[in-house]
Amino acid sequence: MPPFPSLTALDGLLDDLGVGEARRRQLSMVRGELQRALARDALPVGARRSLQRLLEETSLAPYVRLAESGVLRHRRLGGGFPPTSEPTNAIRRTCLDLLREALGLPALHLGGGEVALQPAPEAATLAALYRQLDQYLGGSMSPAQTRLTAVLAVELDTGARSGELVAQRITHLEEGNTAVYVERRPQGGPVEGEGEWLETSPLTRAALERWLPIRADLVQRAHGTSRLWVSLWMNHDGILDADGNTVIRPAGMPLEENGLITSYRVGRLRYEGLRPLLPLKLEQLRRAVDAERERTGA
């Protein structure tokens, strides 16, 4: 089936948007949902032919209802298509207003408002987390715990976003791991971020010293990558081909953002002492680190 003219025009609009990688992924989600809504004949006929008609309220209101119900998901979750979460709903509405504004249309603010930020840990909790990670380094650790310890140590030094962490490479480490480079990619900001080198703490240097040999062994078996954070086990890319199969990725491949976030969530529950110190989301930890760096002028 040939693409709808409105989606062809939408692709052109997306190509011209100067947004960061995280926002581009969110916009791609919306684009896919719109395509599935059009394929279901769920939107006005005019929305197939015109991008402006596609982004009118008469088209977006039914699209949002369908998307929030979960029926426009591209794959099943737990055997079904559950409703999407409120954070996802808020992201969807933000993306729609961004697209409308790019087309010269006013924002609609369809349903709901912004999701309130979850509380971030206080300085005392960050200090306790530092001590807990240092304690881990004094004993034996699994590869997964070693990687998470190194990720958290780098996070405490840099306040990097998850997308900024997975973009880091071996070349982003100074000799002796005395500094680490972070390319800042704020959500909604330009595609090309601003980079900075940050001095690492003794904790981070020790954590990287434990992680890098494990990484080197994994990468050698996967035929090489310069990414700093890599996968520990075989996995798949989550995209089905025409036969319903997925591409299997060996261990040692670049760790994707979803994999990093999953390892954070699992590690928070798995490793002794982390649950009371780590917030539910890595983003909350990042905001706490940012606040502390601003307070201390670091």
Side-chain angles (χ1 to χ4, degrees):
M1 180 179 179
F4 300 111
S6 58
L7 286 181
T8 301
L10 176 59
D11 289 339
L13 182 68
L14 291 172
D15 288 341
D16 292 336
L17 281 180
V19 296
E21 291 183 12
R23 181 68 78 195
R24 191 163 294 280
R25 286 193 294 271
Q26 295 165 359
L27 288 165
S28 178
M29 174 197 76
V30 169
R31 193 264 186 211
E33 290 178 341
L34 286 169
Q35 181 177 23
R36 289 187 284 277
L38 289 170
R40 294 168 64 100
D41 294 326
L43 307 184
V45 174
R48 297 183 172 192
R49 299 189 295 266
S50 164
L51 178 57
Q52 181 154 339
R53 292 289 302 276
L54 178 63
L55 296 181
E56 287 179 351
E57 185 172 5
T58 53
S59 300
L60 294 183
Y63 153 66
V64 167
R65 288 195 296 271
L66 278 175
E68 291 184 352
S69 75
V71 300
L72 299 181
R73 290 181 181 273
H74 74 285
R75 61 182 177 182
R76 295 177 180 272
L77 286 180
F81 297 90
T84 55
S85 67
E86 185 50 40
T88 298
N89 297 341
I91 288 169
R92 182 183 295 112
R93 294 189 290 265
T94 298
C95 287
L96 292 177
D97 284 339
L98 179 62
L99 292 174
R100 282 178 57 87
E101 290 169 358
L103 199 63
L105 302 173
L108 285 176
H109 306 296
L110 285 169
E114 293 296 321
V115 176
L117 293 176
Q118 295 297 311
E122 297 181 353
T125 304
L126 295 181
L129 175 59
Y130 188 104
R131 292 192 297 271
Q132 179 63 69
L133 298 178
D134 187 55
Q135 182 177 331
Y136 287 159
L137 290 170
S140 62
M141 294 188 291
S142 68
Q145 189 177 15
T146 302
R147 186 183 66 184
L148 180 61
T149 299
V151 167
L152 292 175
V154 170
E155 180 63 30
L156 288 174
D157 281 352
T158 65
R161 292 172 170 80
S162 54
E164 296 165 354
L165 287 170
V166 296
Q168 289 179 317
R169 299 181 181 275
I170 287 295
T171 52
H172 292 163
L173 295 176
E174 191 66 80
E175 185 177 358
N177 304 324
T178 55
V180 61
Y181 178 81
V182 179
E183 184 174 318
R184 301 298 183 184
R185 302 177 180 184
Q187 186 167 292
V191 176
E192 296 296 331
E194 294 186 0
E196 60 176 330
W197 284 93
L198 297 164
E199 183 180 353
T200 54
S201 64
L203 173 74
T204 297
R205 294 195 287 274
L208 287 171
E209 187 175 343
R210 292 282 292 269
W211 162 244
L212 290 175
I214 296 173
R215 175 205 168 276
D217 182 57
L218 290 165
V219 167
Q220 184 177 25
R221 285 184 274 159
H223 308 296
T225 178
S226 64
R227 292 288 182 87
L228 177 57
W229 312 111
V230 299
S231 61
L232 301 172
W233 302 282
M234 292 176 57
N235 56 60
H236 60 79
D237 59 10
I239 301 175
L240 300 179
D241 61 21
D243 298 323
N245 301 314
T246 60
V247 177
I248 299 299
R249 293 157 46 94
M253 295 292 287
L255 187 66
E256 302 294 342
E257 190 171 357
N258 284 342
L260 178 73
I261 292 172
T262 298
S263 70
Y264 174 87
R265 291 172 177 168
V266 171
R268 175 181 175 274
L269 300 176
R270 175 178 294 171
Y271 304 120
E272 183 178 356
L274 284 187
R275 188 183 300 198
L277 301 177
L278 289 180
L280 288 172
K281 297 184 178 181
L282 179 59
E283 172 61 18
Q284 293 168 256
L285 178 61
R286 182 196 71 78
R287 287 192 285 107
V289 173
D290 266 2
E292 183 61 12
R293 291 178 68 212
E294 183 175 348
R295 185 184 71 81
T296 60

